[in-house]
Amino acid sequence: MTSQINGTQLWMLSPEIAIILLALVVLLLDLVIRRRALVAAVAIGGLIVPVAATTSLAFQWFGPLPANRTAFWGTLVVDSYAIFFQYLFLIIAAMVGLVAYNYSTRYLRATVGEFYAILLMSVTGMMLMAGTRELISIYISLELTSIPLYILAGIARAEDKSAEAAIKYVLLGAMSSAILLYGMALLYGATGSTDLGEVAAAATHGLQSGNLLLLVADVFIFAGFGFKISAVPFHMWAPDIYEGAPTPSTLFFSVGSKAAGFAALLRVFVVGGLVATSSVYLWILVAVVAALTMTVGNVVALLQTNIKRMMAYSSIAQAGYLLVGLAALMIHDTVIGNVGILLFLFIYVITNLGVFAGIIALADISGRETIRDFDGFGRRSPWIAVGMSVCLLSLAGMPPMGGFFGKLFIFIAAWSQGGALTWLVILGLINSAISMVYYLNVVWRMFSVEPAKVDRPSTPRGVSIGMGVAVAGVIASLIVLGPLLYQISLGAGSLFAAHP
């Protein structure tokens, strides 16, 4: 660990630096030119720079990285796990930017540059959340992620529902941040350090499993992240905010916030040694939360008439499946559970992007977002309807879609825990069957119900490209499942190699 900042450390931070600079360029362009479409194009096209910076780290173009791969006094780590999430967040930024291209220039108008700049700043925080191994830095990264999200919820200034969504998000986000910070303070009190490596050493060697202060700290940290991933009973913010925020912002919440929350949650619990030292009470708590999250999300989604509220509860249910993998990790911290979580997250991000591309296409055509508005959508926009159907089936976990394999790995990890989580796997299978009802209902309406009017409106090019990428991602996840699993296993392995 060096005592001063050098070129190697700046190189290790280069993806985040590139995104921040891109956000500033977008803001400046928005001030000096009136062509909002050009501002959006620069924001999307400029992502090639942080992609190149991330690739330079992945392949070490400018020389070997330090042996411990840490920088800035051990707070930043560049390993396969961080690089996996950096690529994932850059995919999210590019896809959200594409599908929001026409929507933002048409409906957000004067705030187009602000939308893209704030989006990029939030992505910077997400990338730091995945690559930070120190509690204070994780919290700061979380706030860098969250504050732009609050602004994105209320960026449609003329809409009352958008303003309401922003206020709710700020209040509940502040509460969740306070809970998380209190848990981190307790963890520091129990271990005497904020560095996750030192926390792991103290938790493994200095504290017994079941230590009350450590257990309370774990519960508060889990609750704080529970808000970010919209797990029950911390899910109350998601439906109203998903419905009230502009649809591109909702898309970003549904994929970016959840992926960042799980990236940091796994980093804290695995690298911090909290998985290995957690007591039986903690994994039972996580298993119960997983069961409630799956069930509440899927059952309530059946009752929704607004497509964005339905997708909010779908997102809650998907968090429940991911928590099944976390519960399996807490019983026996094997790589397979982590591989299942990362694979599920990757496929969930791709498929959710495709579904929201269809929702944005409908909103651009009709300005409405109810499930009934999808009646006959297959005749009005055949390509978008087919692509959206593929993504919905993948979210439902229907074989041989990519979502099926994501759930399969998570359920295998839980089933292998000696019967402790067998009931949770069975409940997960039941919930998967329930989810097919509301996902297939949308598919059925698109292709079997007569539309109120038959026309062929033009689909925005950005939405078409985004849908094409999402469908290609779902199909590619089947064709190259082996290489994809290999890369994911590298990320999972590097995470486990980081703790004693």
Side-chain angles (χ1 to χ4, degrees):
M1 186 181 301
T2 60
S3 59
Q4 60 183 2
I5 298 174
N6 54 37
T8 301
Q9 291 183 331
L10 292 176
W11 173 39
M12 294 171 72
L13 192 63
S14 59
E16 291 83 1
I17 294 174
I19 294 186
I20 286 294
L21 291 177
L22 178 59
L24 295 176
V25 168
V26 169
L27 281 177
L28 288 174
L29 279 177
D30 192 44
L31 288 174
V32 299
I33 65 175
R34 295 184 178 181
R35 295 180 61 187
R36 301 185 183 96
L38 179 60
V39 174
V42 169
I44 299 167
L47 287 171
I48 192 67
V49 178
V51 168
T54 302
T55 306
S56 75
L57 291 173
F59 293 96
Q60 302 186 48
W61 289 347
F62 302 107
L65 292 171
N68 58 3
R69 289 181 171 243
T70 61
F72 299 101
W73 303 276
T75 59
L76 179 72
V77 59
V78 178
D79 54 11
S80 297
Y81 180 82
I83 289 173
F84 167 80
F85 274 103
Q86 284 179 352
Y87 277 123
L88 187 62
F89 293 134
L90 289 171
I91 290 172
I92 291 171
M95 290 282 285
V96 172
L98 275 173
V99 299
Y101 184 89
N102 189 72
Y103 186 101
S104 61
T105 55
R106 183 174 177 180
Y107 292 103
L108 298 182
R109 296 174 184 164
T111 57
V112 171
E114 296 171 25
F115 173 83
Y116 281 98
I118 293 167
L119 173 74
L120 292 170
M121 291 175 184
S122 184
V123 169
T124 305
M126 293 175 182
M127 293 172 70
L128 288 172
M129 283 178 69
T132 304
R133 50 169 291 171
E134 194 265 338
L135 293 177
I136 297 175
S137 301
I138 289 173
Y139 179 76
I140 293 172
S141 302
L142 177 66
E143 292 305 299
L144 178 58
T145 298
S146 300
I147 293 174
L149 293 180
Y150 307 151
I151 300 171
L152 288 176
I155 200 166
R157 299 169 183 169
E159 299 290 333
D160 292 339
K161 294 176 77 172
S162 180
E164 179 185 349
I167 292 172
K168 289 180 178 179
Y169 208 175
V170 168
L171 294 176
L172 291 173
M175 181 174 67
S176 67
S177 295
I179 292 172
L180 177 63
L181 193 59
Y182 187 60
M184 290 179 173
L186 291 177
L187 188 60
Y188 171 75
T191 62
S193 177
T194 59
D195 180 86
L196 290 180
E198 296 177 6
V199 167
T204 303
H205 305 299
L207 297 172
Q208 295 182 349
S209 177
N211 177 279
L212 182 58
L213 184 58
L214 185 63
L215 176 61
V216 174
D218 291 353
V219 170
F220 273 92
I221 290 173
F222 176 70
F225 282 118
F227 278 93
K228 306 304 178 184
I229 63 176
S230 60
V232 174
F234 317 111
H235 68 290
M236 69 287 292
W237 62 272
D240 289 344
I241 293 169
Y242 275 44
E243 182 182 5
T247 307
S249 300
T250 302
L251 166 59
F252 189 51
F253 303 158
S254 70
V255 290
S257 179
K258 193 174 298 295
F262 271 101
L265 180 63
L266 288 173
R267 177 78 74 179
V268 170
F269 273 80
V270 175
V271 178
L274 305 184
V275 166
T277 58
S278 61
S279 70
V280 65
Y281 303 108
L282 187 60
W283 74 256
I284 290 176
L285 172 65
V286 173
V288 170
V289 170
L292 289 173
T293 303
M294 287 188 295
T295 305
V296 171
N298 283 313
V299 171
V300 181
L302 290 171
L303 309 175
Q304 302 306 307
T305 58
N306 182 283
I307 188 71
K308 287 166 68 174
R309 291 187 73 88
M310 189 199 84
M311 291 305 299
Y313 284 104
S314 164
S315 176
I316 292 168
Q318 301 294 331
Y321 301 129
L322 287 162
L323 289 174
V324 173
L326 181 61
L329 276 177
M330 288 186 167
I331 295 178
H332 185 55
D333 53 339
T334 56
V335 175
I336 186 173
N338 201 0
V339 168
I341 293 173
L342 297 188
L343 177 63
F344 191 102
L345 268 176
F346 177 81
I347 296 173
Y348 167 76
V349 164
I350 297 298
T351 52
N352 228 45
L353 285 165
V355 173
F356 270 92
I359 296 173
I360 289 173
L362 175 70
D364 191 74
I365 292 169
S366 65
R368 296 188 296 271
E369 295 165 339
T370 69
I371 295 175
R372 288 186 176 275
D373 291 322
F374 281 95
D375 291 358
F377 196 56
R379 296 182 62 184
R380 303 179 67 193
S381 298
W383 157 240
I384 299 297
V386 170
M388 187 175 176
S389 299
V390 169
C391 294
L392 285 169
L393 294 176
S394 181
L395 282 177
M398 184 173 291
M401 300 297 179
F404 167 77
F405 293 99
K407 287 183 180 178
L408 179 65
F409 275 84
I410 283 179
F411 290 160
I412 288 175
W415 188 272
S416 63
Q417 303 306 316
L421 296 179
T422 301
W423 64 277
L424 194 57
V425 175
I426 295 172
L427 184 61
L429 293 173
I430 294 172
N431 272 282
S432 295
I434 294 172
S435 70
M436 289 186 183
V437 176
Y438 59 86
Y439 289 132
L440 290 176
N441 176 51
V442 179
V443 177
W444 173 74
R445 285 190 171 278
M446 286 193 292
F447 293 100
S448 299
V449 179
E450 288 294 323
K453 62 177 181 177
V454 180
D455 56 358
R456 287 293 185 90
S458 61
T459 302
R461 183 173 299 177
V463 172
S464 297
I465 295 173
M467 182 64 78
V469 172
V471 173
V474 173
I475 296 173
S477 65
L478 303 177
I479 299 174
V480 296
L481 184 61
L484 178 61
L485 283 173
Y486 174 74
Q487 294 299 323
I488 289 175
S489 66
L490 291 178
S494 69
L495 190 66
F496 276 88
H499 76 90

